[in-house]
Amino acid sequence: MVATRDILELLNTIAPFEIAEDWDNSGLQAGNLNWDVKGVMIALDVSVDLMTTAQQENCDLVLTHHPLMIQPERSIDFSRMPGRAVEMAALHKISILSAHTNLDKADEGLNDYFAARIGLQNTRVFLKDKAASGSAGPMTGIGRIGSLSSPVPLGNLARQIKENLGLTYLRVTGNMDLPVNTVAVCTGSGGSLVNEFLGSGADVYVTGDMKYHEARQVEESSKAVLDVGHFGSEHMAIDLLSDQLTRAVQNAGFSVQIKKFNSEKDPFTIV
């Protein structure tokens, strides 16, 4: 039989947990490393709907990008999240694993996947991880910088990315006629790296959760931002984890079904 710890070890080869940020909580969120696993359901966030669907579809493990808990909880209240998920995990023997900043930073991780989805070439690490060991891979670090096959106006790039990512909207800061050749990307909330972007030589920064004053800073520097939203930049983690874990399971000779949770939606609606 395959156990939760076996899946955790496979994840460690995909996105080493040692490269996760110090504040992060990747790894086991709830459950038991010795519980058997016949099916894995992959999602972006832990939710009651995810846990219910996993139970209904005979999945003994859920794997998410965002952790169930990042900050320590003072109490586990089963009437609300995250306590409801913990209760369901215990009652139905469903382990919860998360691969968060380790997946963001990993060589061939989420930022590489994101850069490829929007058509970047010749990518390099945006912000290198000085603490990562040599075994972590040459492309370990936060974000990526790459070039387009040919320069395009910012407005054209915005429309292309919106289509490539299947977005209903994105936010643009900058001159829509700005010629764009070099692009920096950071999945999730990348606003805190605005100064690094401005010093990187990239023309535009593609990320999520850009704040007002950060956008002003970019505007004043005659650069550009495409804010695709947190969900828009990371929902693809489901496809990435599914592809990579399926290969790892097959290579290990494990008999485990890998399923995707496809019911998640961006919590924001534009009206």
Side-chain angles (χ1 to χ4, degrees):
M1 295 296 295
V2 179
T4 299
R5 72 171 66 254
D6 297 318
I7 302 300
L8 189 67
E9 289 173 3
L10 291 182
L11 285 173
N12 194 46
T13 66
I14 294 168
F17 290 101
E18 67 175 20
I19 66 174
E21 294 288 286
D22 292 339
W23 52 264
D24 195 15
N25 185 35
S26 291
L28 181 69
Q29 307 292 300
N32 188 321
L33 291 176
N34 294 318
W35 283 349
D36 293 338
V37 178
K38 303 183 200 67
V40 177
M41 182 159 287
I42 300 175
L44 179 62
D45 297 303
V46 182
S47 65
V48 172
D49 285 345
L50 169 64
M51 299 300 292
T52 300
T53 304
Q55 179 196 355
Q56 292 171 344
E57 299 196 16
N58 298 314
C59 290
D60 322 279
L61 187 150
V62 298
L63 169 60
T64 64
H65 180 46
H66 291 147
L68 173 64
M69 297 170 283
I70 292 184
Q71 299 296 327
E73 294 287 319
R74 290 180 176 271
S75 63
I76 302 298
D77 183 347
F78 291 162
S79 69
R80 62 178 179 85
M81 289 290 286
R84 289 186 68 187
V86 174
E87 180 187 33
M88 295 177 78
L91 289 175
H92 304 294
K93 297 185 69 173
I94 301 172
S95 293
I96 304 172
L97 301 180
S98 298
H100 191 210
T101 55
N102 53 319
L103 185 67
D104 291 330
K105 296 164 66 177
D107 193 345
E108 298 186 8
L110 188 56
N111 275 282
D112 289 307
Y113 195 70
F114 183 69
R117 282 282 298 270
I118 64 174
L120 298 190
Q121 304 173 348
N122 305 314
T123 55
R124 64 184 190 275
V125 175
F126 177 29
L127 190 63
K128 287 190 177 294
D129 189 346
K130 297 178 181 179
S133 65
S135 62
M139 287 287 284
T140 299
I142 298 172
R144 298 292 184 264
I145 293 180
S147 58
L148 301 171
S149 57
S150 59
V152 297
L154 177 64
N156 290 18
L157 179 64
R159 287 184 283 272
Q160 290 171 14
I161 289 177
K162 181 181 174 183
E163 182 178 351
N164 288 349
L165 300 185
L167 304 176
T168 56
Y169 69 93
L170 53 74
R171 299 192 300 169
V172 182
T173 296
N175 184 340
M176 297 294 270
D177 295 322
L178 176 73
V180 176
N181 182 55
T182 305
V183 180
V185 303
C186 181
T187 57
S189 302
S192 63
L193 299 180
V194 160
N195 288 329
E196 285 78 3
F197 158 64
L198 294 176
S200 70
D203 305 308
V204 62
Y205 186 26
V206 185
T207 187
D209 296 343
M210 185 65 60
K211 295 180 181 179
Y212 176 87
H213 292 292
E214 295 163 346
R216 280 292 191 208
Q217 194 176 349
V218 173
E219 183 182 52
E220 290 164 359
S221 300
S222 299
K223 299 280 188 175
V225 166
L226 299 179
D227 184 343
V228 300
H230 201 118
F231 183 87
S233 72
E234 293 198 323
H235 187 250
M236 66 189 73
I238 297 174
D239 291 334
L240 174 64
L241 283 169
S242 177
D243 292 345
Q244 293 193 347
L245 187 59
T246 296
R247 286 196 298 269
V249 163
Q250 291 173 346
N251 290 338
F254 295 160
S255 179
V256 176
Q257 280 195 314
I258 309 296
K259 299 182 179 182
K260 300 178 188 180
F261 183 62
N262 294 316
S263 300
E264 290 171 303
K265 295 180 180 179
D266 193 323
F268 293 105
T269 301
I270 301 299
V271 297

